[in-house]
Amino acid sequence: MRILVTGGAGYIGSHTLVELLAAGHEAHVVDTFANSSPEALARVRQLANRDFGFTRADIRDGEAMARVARDFAPEAVAHFAGLKAVGESVGKPLAYFDVNVGGTVALLQALQAEGCRRFVFSSSATVYGDPDYLPIDEAHPRRTTNPYGRTKLQIEGILEDLAVADPAWSIALLRYFNPVGAHASGRIGEDPEGIPNNLMPYVTQVATGRRERLIVHGDDYDTPDGTGVRDFIHVVDLARAHVAAAEWTGRGAGCEAFNLGTGRGASVLELVAAFRAASGQAIPVTVGPRRAGDIAASWADPARAARVLGWRAELGVAEMCASAWGWAARNPAGYAGPERNPD
Ligand code: NAD
Ligand code: UFG
């Protein structure tokens, strides 16, 4: 099928492109490279050994989106493009509402005009806030504490309203838990700008010597070792879930939510131990205070995705750490630096 991939040069989008192309789908990417590099797309082409279309355009540009929708005539869309830094969203809420909410509305208007009504949206477990119970299923109440999370809630609401207004829409809301890891080749991976906010990219930068030590944000949570517990999910598993969801939009109807996680939690210290084992690197850690806004524990009940999409996560924390290290060792400066070729 023909799939339009917004934000396809980004971390999750680039891995999804590889899996979509491997599954025989035809793809067209829209990206501004606001938080990514053209090099990611070049490497996807090499890895997949297949070409795909690309338009450098902003999802907020309704005319550009209409042109892409007309020329490529997608049967389905995987919508990754957007801003994603929780802390930044607190200082710049209007930018987040503009890009995430405004951009999604502009994209949907273009798709509606061109008759494409199959949509896969990158939502987040952040829509569950501090969970009332574990594991978290899709019926868990939705709430949020920051502007980034509010954009995800608002977009979910817009998509639900759209499916009510026009039953021809078939929409999958994919609520990601904690995506980590990289493609097994080590050629594409997560490449954040500046100091990483998230655990795994911080750990890999300690491993490559870019940072001295990991600060563990609190070890006095009500968890087995006192550190935060998350449902880390391998980005390649996540990418494959998008293939399953895009295919499901051809069978399904309405707007349906799916948790994408493994169903198992791992603590910060467990992840660090697994990374040490996978990489052979020391990873010094210091325990610091809790980080504002953090929750103690979060993990998914992923049964619905298994039942309806026929997808389940297959890769564990060892593979997540080995692949994250494979990417970092080969690309210690991310896409901006030279690629080391250990082969
Ligand atoms: P990313 O920043 O690596 O990818 C986003 C891509 O969108 C980038 O290539 C960026 O250049 C592009 N982009 C940004 N603004 C754009 C615009 N206005 N027009 C066109 N392109 C634009 O992020 P990611 O980690 O791959 O996340 C992808 C999606 O998944 C996001 O919507 C994010 O909110 C969501 N998500 C991510 C995580 C995570 O932990 N990475 C967790 C839950 C949900
Ligand atoms: N952590 C550290 N040190 C660090 C970074 C993180 O100890 O340098 C800890 C955190 O305190 C937390 C765990 O590692 O206990 C995971 O933190 P991340 O920042 O990697 O992930 P979060 O679960 O906090 O946040 C992620 C996404 C958000 C999303 C949220 C809820 O980054 O975008 O999940 O879905 F909103």
Side-chain angles (χ1 to χ4, degrees), residues 162-240:
L162 194 55
V164 170
D166 178 354
W169 279 93
S170 177
I171 299 168
L173 308 175
L174 302 185
R175 297 180 181 149
Y176 313 158
F177 279 67
N178 286 63
V180 296
H183 190 265
S185 65
R187 300 213 60 213
I188 57 171
E190 187 171 16
D191 182 22
E193 254 183 51
I195 302 173
N197 294 309
N198 297 115
L199 179 61
M200 185 66 98
Y202 204 104
V203 169
T204 59
Q205 291 196 5
V206 174
T208 54
R210 272 167 87 175
R211 318 256 159 222
E212 198 185 322
R213 57 183 50 250
L214 173 74
I215 311 295
V216 175
H217 299 319
D219 67 352
D220 58 351
Y221 285 104
D222 184 15
T223 60
D225 66 18
T227 65
V229 169
R230 295 293 185 274
D231 188 338
F232 298 101
I233 172 167
H234 198 301
V235 68
V236 171
D237 271 331
L238 194 61
R240 291 177 181 151

Side-chain angles (χ1 to χ4, degrees), residues 244-326:
E247 289 168 352
W248 171 82
T249 59
R251 311 187 292 276
C255 183
E256 301 282 342
F258 301 97
N259 284 341
L260 299 184
T262 63
R264 283 179 299 279
S267 75
V268 173
L269 292 181
E270 282 169 344
L271 191 87
V272 171
F275 192 93
R276 287 187 183 121
S279 67
Q281 304 297 305
I283 318 295
V285 304
T286 300
V287 176
R290 290 184 180 193
R291 183 171 68 176
D294 266 3
I295 58 176
S298 158
W299 66 88
D301 175 348
R304 190 157 193 279
R307 201 171 59 246
V308 180
L309 303 179
W311 168 91
R312 48 171 61 78
E314 286 169 1
L315 303 166
V317 165
E319 286 110 336
M320 298 177 208
C321 292
S323 62
W325 171 239

Side-chain angles (χ1 to χ4, degrees), residues 10-12 31 34-36 58-59 80 84 123 148 152 176 179:
Y11 171 46
I12 303 169
D31 206 302
N35 192 39
S36 54
D58 194 304
I59 52 167
F80 298 96
K84 64 162 184 176
S123 192
Y148 166 74
K152 294 295 180 193
Y176 313 158

Side-chain angles (χ1 to χ4, degrees), residues 91-169:
K92 296 183 183 169
L94 294 181
Y96 275 69
F97 290 111
D98 182 27
V99 173
N100 291 7
V101 182
T104 302
V105 171
L107 174 66
L108 290 168
Q109 283 171 328
L111 297 175
Q112 174 143 282
E114 296 305 320
C116 173
R117 288 181 172 68
R118 293 169 57 185
F119 200 76
V120 178
F121 174 59
S122 298
S123 192
S124 166
T126 196
V127 301
Y128 298 121
D130 195 349
D132 295 338
Y133 57 84
L134 293 167
I136 303 169
D137 58 23
E138 290 84 355
H140 188 285
R142 284 177 284 176
R143 57 173 88 99
T144 189
T145 54
N146 60 74
Y148 166 74
R150 218 175 319 282
T151 69
K152 294 295 180 193
L153 276 183
Q154 289 186 354
I155 295 165
E156 286 201 355
I158 290 166
L159 292 168
E160 285 161 350
D161 287 346
L162 194 55
V164 170
D166 178 354
W169 279 93

